[in-house]
Amino acid sequence: MLFVDLSGSTGLAEWMEAEHYADLLAQLSTLYEQVVPRHGGAVARIQGDGMLAIFGYPEVREDDGRRATEAALELHTLVRGLRPPGPLPEHFKGLTLHSGIHAGVVFVGEGDAVRGRYELIGNAPNIAARLAENARADEILVSQETLGLQSHYFETSARRQLHLRGRATPIGVYLVKGRSALSRRFEASERRGLTPLQGRAAELSVLDQALSRAFAGATFWVAVRAGAGLGKTRLCEEFLLRVSDHACQVHRGHCESYLVAEPLQPWLQMLRGLEHYVGGPPELALALQAPPEERAERLLALFMALAAETAQLLFIDDLQWADDASLRLLHQLRDHAARRRLPVLLLTASRPALPGSYVLPTTSGADQLIELPPLPEPAAAVTVSRLLPQADPFVAAEVQRHAGGNPLFLEELCHAAAEAAVVGERLGQAQPSAAWLATLIESRVERLPPEQADLVRIAAVIGTVVPTWLLTALTGIGERDPGVQALAEQDFLFPDREPGALRFKHGITRDVVYDSTGLHLRQQLHRRIAAQLRARGGETDNLNELLAYHDAAANEWPLAAQHAEAAGDQALASSALDRAKRQFRAALAALEFLPDTPERRRRWVNIAQRLGMACVFDASRDDLRVLRHAAELAQGLGDTGLIARTDYWLAYVGYALGEVRESLRYAQAAVSSAEACQDSALLAQLPGTVGQIHAAAAHYPEALAQFERAIERQRERADKSRNRVGLAYSLCCKAYVLGDQGNFDGAHAAFAEALDAVADPGHAVQASIQGWRSAVLLWQGRWAEAREAADISHHVGTQVRSMFTCAMGHAASAYAAWMLERAPEAPQQILDAIAWLAPRGGGLFSSFNHGWLAEIFVEQGDMRGARHHIACALARARQQDWVGGAMAYRAAAKLAVMAGDKPRARRCLDLAAKAGARRGSGHEKAVTDWLRADLGLADAGQPSLEAAVQQLQRLGMTGLLSARAPALSGVAR
């Protein structure tokens, strides 16, 4: 949508005669009606001196954002040249427009005399109008998502955030200043920064072989063909860089679909590149001076002459948009050069033709066709890791799933994920991607034959995975239908790994097609799909999950709540905790649409409690907010049992997030309420939870007493459950407390019993046990065993989608690798783990990470980094997370010694000793005593170096002696 308005029109109307002002409006109206259609748009409404135009209706083009911006630039230029009729006042400075451009989904209906040519229903026109409202005289404001990479066609300001009237969140905008010198999307990607090419070694080898054939005197034409965004241009440009080392003259040209395209466009671009070529053949001057009707002939003669002198490589990009004359010259050059056996390599890149559409045969006659497939998963993973270096594994996997190996989609989704992280969103909240990318996808759908377009829209409503029986039930079309096979050829749908299903190749394609399908049609299809699923019944996997989704999309809220709750219970029973969380949240959302009754509130609280159960291994601040609301509802209902259990889960989730003080308060309240209502089952669970919270706060005597009570009760029920998760976790927590106290034998015995209690090696509690076992092994200096345990924790955490255990396992493994072999990547891996946890607000035991980094940075001589992480660890200590406190103080002592400030170093070591004593930590005392003696800072009455070493040996911590930091040698004594 392009919204333009005449600047200062109120003032103009005041001093102009009415007839003159009417004449001016008529001139503006004429300009609007002439310019907008010339750029492929349609005037939707002219009101006074303002206009609203639409681009992309009735035909969607992938460059509609560019077209709207070009139209705005032309209108601004023409209006600046207008002279109002009649006499002009002295202060008149000329006429200007101010414009706003935005893209989005709107409902387009027939208009009338009041509403204009088209009636546009949706928020996008309002945003375009607000952008125009914020633009000053002669300014054009375009939303970032409208242009995307097409912004490279224009000179723009830096992107800025703009708060619009009536919109809650700011919007990214560009101020368009004019047209730029860039003419290809690849050049824009270069400017933004290219990642190393991945997954195209085989194709580069084919191109190298073609070049060798050309050098041998065989004219050769290689055509690279692939859909939009698959990296045709990137592959060819990478190859051209390699060719620069050869004795070969390279020429580049490209074709455009837009109005600026001229006959023989790519050839004339090559010719202009030769204008300053010194020592060229006589044919060059003839070609430069040739009239239009002789250009093709002269260009052919020129390149034949050049090829007679040296090898030639001609690259034409986007050949699918070439005019007849350009294609004819391509074929002529190939044929003439081949007959004379001239060393010419022709390289073209183009998109495939859509079935049933008339497209010039851009690859017909090529000697070799390279069909470029999507990137393989390993190459896509490397690309994501380079574009999102600190992305957590779950975000990276989500980007790969949506992109389906399309490099353009990977790039744009990575940028979207990075921006989402800045504003605290998750990737799913940033979907669908930018409007310009959605327009690119929609334009492909619009060019499909109508029956195939309908088919892909129905498939999008079904979901990313499309059961073939369901597609047949809705459309009468089977998997082998020509229409389905045509969609596979066009990279829309392809057979899933599981037989009997189709899958969208790119998740983002499915999302865009779904969003562009009309609301009423979507809801109708969702109802039909739900009816088919109910009729099929138990034959369908994940029936409740599917019905919950389709019922919610059809606004059938009672059914949606029912099936989402059932799906959450099923996922919880099978330990699929991330799916359980998602379904319980969906059930709570559906309940919000039902009448507010006591029964509904009670049900809301019960589901929220099960949500608490599902998030114990991967809690977030959002989970805590849900449970706080549930607590308010429970208090309002006055049900002591509900209050007790809600407080229990508030305590547990708060503990998982490191909110120790508040968690302890909720746990004590839960005990009181459970005793009041005599909830024996909850009273049996509470000792373990209270013990865990006390352990997190370093209240070890209280924690061990609670653990003994919990373990005794849980052992009594040991034979009644295959996976004794409660027993295993209580033993795990007891083990790390014993390890912290220096009782390593007792710790490892408890870990062994905990592991035996869990029959499933992939259960989420395994990640917790191995993570804490790794920490205890690190305290002992058993680096290799610690790394092995941490890797298991990271792997299991990834499999069960527990970000906490995944991240902490990753960090512990990195620290072990540093202590083993000073692995250079270790600091960055720990920083990555911190970044992964940050969006979730999880702080439980995060002082570990900061303590490890403080130690590493001291050794590396990074004083600023060390001080930062010392401060972070001590900030966590103020929140009762003391496990990294002594490490941080010891790192500070080393910094002080390196600065020559021994008194400060002594004070820091005293604080380290106090931090260890606060936890009753035997191993911390041993390490602090050893470091004090090793630095020559031991006073009378404090252990000597020999005594400190003996203490480490008695505790079985000799690995610390062998891993003594090299940097320490320079500061000791």
Side-chain angles (χ1 to χ4, degrees):
M1 268 68 65
L2 164 63
F3 193 97
V4 300
D5 210 357
L6 185 64
S7 304
S9 57
T10 303
L12 287 171
E14 286 181 358
W15 58 260
M16 289 182 72
E17 293 287 343
E19 291 85 350
H20 290 157
Y21 189 63
D23 289 343
L24 175 61
L25 295 184
Q27 291 181 60
L28 285 174
S29 180
T30 300
L31 285 180
Y32 297 154
E33 295 285 4
Q34 290 174 347
V35 172
V36 170
R38 189 155 62 234
H39 291 270
V43 175
R45 181 170 63 248
I46 296 176
Q47 188 168 358
D49 53 66
M51 177 207 64
L52 175 63
I54 57 174
F55 294 78
Y57 180 83
E59 179 186 357
V60 180
R61 302 180 183 89
E62 63 186 73
D63 57 354
D64 282 324
R66 178 189 177 188
R67 290 171 180 269
T69 309
E70 291 278 7
L73 284 170
E74 184 175 355
L75 283 170
H76 278 239
T77 300
L78 292 173
V79 168
R80 283 196 300 269
L82 284 181
R83 183 183 186 282
L88 302 177
E90 291 183 4
H91 65 269
F92 179 69
K93 297 180 180 180
L95 295 174
T96 56
L97 298 173
H98 53 279
S99 303
I101 304 172
H102 184 66
V105 177
V106 295
F107 176 79
V108 182
E110 290 299 321
D112 52 30
V114 176
R115 294 173 292 182
R117 190 169 299 162
Y118 297 108
E119 181 184 21
L120 305 180
I121 300 175
N123 198 36
N126 297 331
I127 295 177
R130 296 288 179 267
L131 289 174
E133 185 181 278
N134 279 267
R136 289 183 281 192
D138 210 25
E139 285 189 347
I140 302 169
L141 292 181
V142 187
S143 63
Q144 174 192 6
E145 59 190 79
T146 297
L147 279 182
L149 278 181
Q150 290 181 351
S151 63
H152 73 267
Y153 290 112
F154 308 100
E155 292 293 339
T156 68
S157 67
R159 180 175 64 89
R160 71 175 192 264
Q161 295 293 316
L162 189 64
H163 288 272
L164 300 180
R165 180 166 55 89
R167 182 181 168 98
T169 56
I171 185 172
V173 298
Y174 295 110
L175 171 63
V176 177
K177 301 176 181 179
R179 297 173 181 85
S180 76
L182 299 184
S183 56
R184 292 193 298 159
R185 188 170 65 204
F186 176 75
E187 294 168 344
S189 295
E190 276 188 312
R191 180 176 287 185
R192 189 157 68 175
L194 297 172
T195 59
L197 186 68
Q198 300 290 331
R200 301 301 189 205
E203 291 82 1
L204 284 171
S205 177
V206 170
L207 291 172
D208 286 338
Q209 293 170 23
L211 184 64
S212 298
R213 294 185 61 173
F215 281 156
T219 301
F220 206 73
W221 175 11
V222 179
V224 179
R225 187 170 70 186
L230 281 171
K232 304 178 294 295
T233 305
R234 179 66 201 283
L235 169 69
C236 294
E237 290 290 347
E238 189 79 14
F239 171 64
L240 295 181
L241 280 175
R242 296 162 64 149
V243 170
S244 62
D245 296 332
H246 298 76
C248 178
Q249 194 169 17
V250 177
H251 310 274
R252 287 178 173 86
H254 65 273
C255 307
E256 289 186 85
S257 65
Y258 199 59
L259 301 172
V260 295
E262 56 185 330
L264 294 171
Q265 182 188 30
W267 301 98
L268 292 176
Q269 291 165 352
M270 296 181 201
L271 177 62
R272 290 171 191 131
L274 291 166
E275 282 181 336
H276 304 292
Y277 179 45
V278 178
E283 289 83 357
L284 175 57
L286 293 173
L288 288 168
Q289 298 166 9
E293 64 272 13
E294 296 180 12
R295 281 177 180 164
E297 181 182 348
R298 297 300 185 189
L299 284 164
L300 176 61
L302 169 62
F303 287 109
M304 291 291 290
L306 290 170
E309 295 178 355
T310 188
Q312 302 291 305
L313 195 162
L314 290 81
F315 170 49
I316 301 179
D317 200 7
D318 285 325
L319 191 64
Q320 73 276 0
W321 289 321
D323 60 287
D324 287 347
S326 293
L327 283 173
R328 192 161 46 247
L329 181 53
L330 175 65
H331 285 271
Q332 287 175 339
L333 178 58
R334 179 192 176 281
D335 294 342
H336 283 64
R339 280 197 293 271
R340 292 178 54 184
R341 297 190 59 78
L342 294 176
V344 177
L345 177 59
L346 299 169
L347 176 60
T348 63
S350 63
R351 298 182 191 175
L354 288 167
S357 62
Y358 175 70
V359 178
L360 294 170
T362 55
T363 57
S364 176
D367 296 295
Q368 185 151 13
L369 177 64
I370 297 177
E371 295 273 13
L372 208 57
L375 289 178
E377 286 190 14
V382 171
T383 300
V384 172
S385 69
R386 291 181 182 276
L387 290 169
L388 284 176
Q390 285 195 322
D392 71 55
F394 306 149
V395 167
E398 191 73 358
V399 166
Q400 285 183 243
R401 184 180 71 81
H402 270 73
N406 184 298
L408 175 63
F409 294 173
L410 281 170
E411 182 180 352
E412 291 309 308
L413 286 170
C414 284
H415 287 299
E419 289 183 10
V422 169
V423 297
E425 295 178 341
R426 294 194 180 187
L427 178 64
Q429 295 173 274
Q431 296 297 326
S433 191
W436 75 269
L437 189 54
T439 303
L440 172 65
I441 294 168
E442 288 172 25
S443 68
R444 293 184 59 220
V445 176
E446 289 292 327
R447 293 198 300 271
L448 290 171
E451 63 278 5
Q452 291 179 25
D454 291 342
L455 191 59
V456 80
R457 293 187 192 283
I458 292 170
V461 176
I462 293 173
T464 303
V465 178
V466 184
T468 51
W469 72 264
L470 185 52
L471 186 66
T472 302
L474 295 172
T475 66
I477 291 175
E479 185 176 359
R480 299 185 182 279
D481 185 90
V484 174
Q485 293 179 354
L487 290 173
E489 292 171 5
Q490 293 303 310
D491 277 346
F492 282 103
L493 291 167
F494 69 103
D496 192 26
R497 295 187 184 92
E498 296 295 326
L502 302 171
R503 178 185 288 273
F504 275 87
K505 178 157 285 188
H506 311 110
I508 190 173
T509 298
R510 182 264 164 186
D511 294 347
V512 169
V513 174
Y514 178 88
D515 288 335
S516 65
T517 303
L519 174 64
H520 295 309
L521 175 58
R522 287 205 311 259
Q523 290 184 337
Q524 179 189 13
L525 286 169
H526 281 299
R527 289 188 185 96
R528 290 178 59 196
I529 293 166
Q532 291 291 338
L533 289 169
R534 287 189 181 90
R536 195 171 178 91
E539 298 179 39
T540 304
D541 292 337
N542 306 322
L543 179 62
N544 281 310
E545 197 167 321
L546 292 171
L547 285 172
Y549 165 67
H550 290 291
D551 284 331
N555 289 357
E556 301 288 351
W557 301 115
L559 289 170
Q562 172 191 331
H563 291 296
E565 183 178 2
D569 289 338
Q570 289 172 341
L572 193 61
S574 60
S575 297
L577 301 185
D578 61 315
R579 292 175 70 174
K581 283 181 67 172
R582 187 166 59 248
Q583 293 305 320
F584 287 139
R585 282 187 168 276
L588 294 175
L591 286 177
E592 292 297 320
F593 291 93
L594 301 185
D596 186 13
T597 63
E599 290 74 16
R600 193 216 68 154
R601 293 179 204 170
R602 184 178 299 276
R603 187 178 173 192
W604 207 101
V605 174
N606 281 321
I607 294 173
Q609 290 175 0
R610 279 171 280 167
L611 172 67
M613 193 182 308
C615 68
V616 292
F617 293 105
D618 190 29
S620 71
R621 299 285 170 189
D622 286 341
D623 300 323
L624 203 57
R625 282 190 284 270
V626 170
L627 286 165
R628 283 172 178 157
H629 181 58
E632 292 173 4
L633 294 178
Q635 289 287 346
L637 290 167
D639 186 321
T640 308
L642 279 181
I643 293 169
R645 289 188 172 270
T646 306
D647 283 345
Y648 170 80
W649 287 114
L650 270 170
Y652 210 115
V653 172
Y655 151 75
L657 290 169
E659 301 286 347
V660 177
R661 289 192 184 93
E662 187 178 11
S663 296
L664 197 55
R665 181 170 61 81
Y666 279 120
Q668 291 165 346
V671 170
S672 299
S673 298
E675 288 173 345
C677 66
Q678 298 182 336
D679 188 336
S680 57
L682 182 58
L683 287 169
Q685 287 178 267
L686 274 163
T689 303
V690 174
Q692 291 157 27
I693 298 170
H694 277 302
H699 304 156
Y700 286 168
E702 298 93 332
L704 287 173
Q706 293 289 342
F707 288 145
E708 291 302 332
R709 288 179 58 198
I711 291 168
E712 182 181 356
R713 293 180 181 179
Q714 288 157 345
R715 279 177 177 152
E716 291 173 0
R717 303 194 304 273
D719 296 331
K720 298 179 182 178
S721 173
R722 182 171 176 269
N723 270 333
R724 294 162 288 172
V725 176
L727 172 62
Y729 195 65
S730 293
L731 286 164
C732 166
C733 294
K734 174 186 174 181
Y736 86 71
V737 170
L738 293 175
D740 200 5
Q741 291 177 326
N743 181 0
F744 292 118
D745 289 341
H748 290 299
F751 279 133
E753 186 180 355
L755 290 170
D756 286 342
V758 185
D760 180 3
H763 194 282
V765 76
Q766 275 273 5
S768 297
I769 297 169
Q770 293 289 4
W772 271 115
R773 182 168 168 266
S774 170
V776 171
L777 290 166
L778 287 172
W779 287 334
Q780 287 186 270
R782 294 162 63 175
W783 315 119
E785 294 170 85
R787 181 160 66 172
E788 181 182 356
D791 287 341
I792 295 172
S793 176
H794 172 70
H795 174 73
V796 176
T798 303
Q799 294 300 309
V800 300
R801 296 185 65 83
S802 167
M803 179 47 64
F804 176 75
T805 51
C806 167
M808 294 301 287
H810 188 68
S813 176
Y815 181 68
W818 174 263
M819 298 305 291
L820 264 176
E821 55 202 22
R822 296 305 187 263
E825 67 277 6
Q828 185 58 54
Q829 289 175 346
I830 301 173
L831 287 169
D832 289 345
I834 292 171
W836 298 351
L837 290 170
R840 287 161 170 78
L844 181 64
F845 302 118
S846 61
S847 62
F848 259 138
N849 296 331
H850 297 297
W852 291 333
L853 280 172
E855 284 193 356
I856 292 172
F857 286 145
V858 167
E859 182 174 330
Q860 290 183 325
D862 182 353
M863 306 307 165
R864 183 177 179 181
R867 291 190 188 98
H868 171 74
H869 288 285
I870 289 168
C872 289
L874 297 180
R876 284 297 306 156
R878 287 193 291 273
Q879 298 177 40
Q880 302 298 304
D881 175 7
W882 281 99
V883 291
M887 272 193 293
Y889 282 126
R890 286 195 295 268
K894 294 176 190 177
L895 285 179
V897 170
M898 294 168 79
D901 190 346
K902 289 192 175 184
R904 179 178 176 82
R906 284 190 172 90
R907 289 196 299 274
C908 290
L909 288 171
D910 289 343
L911 290 170
K914 288 179 181 177
R918 182 187 184 93
R919 288 154 48 202
S921 175
H923 80 88
E924 294 284 21
K925 179 181 185 306
V927 174
T928 302
D929 286 346
W930 170 58
L931 180 63
R932 192 194 304 272
D934 195 46
L935 292 174
L937 300 175
D939 296 328
Q942 292 178 327
S944 65
L945 181 59
E946 182 181 359
V949 168
Q950 290 174 352
Q951 187 177 10
L952 290 175
Q953 291 171 338
R954 280 196 304 273
L955 289 171
M957 298 171 62
T958 53
L960 273 73
L961 299 171
S962 60
R964 183 171 179 268
L968 218 57
S969 303
V971 298
R973 276 190 281 278

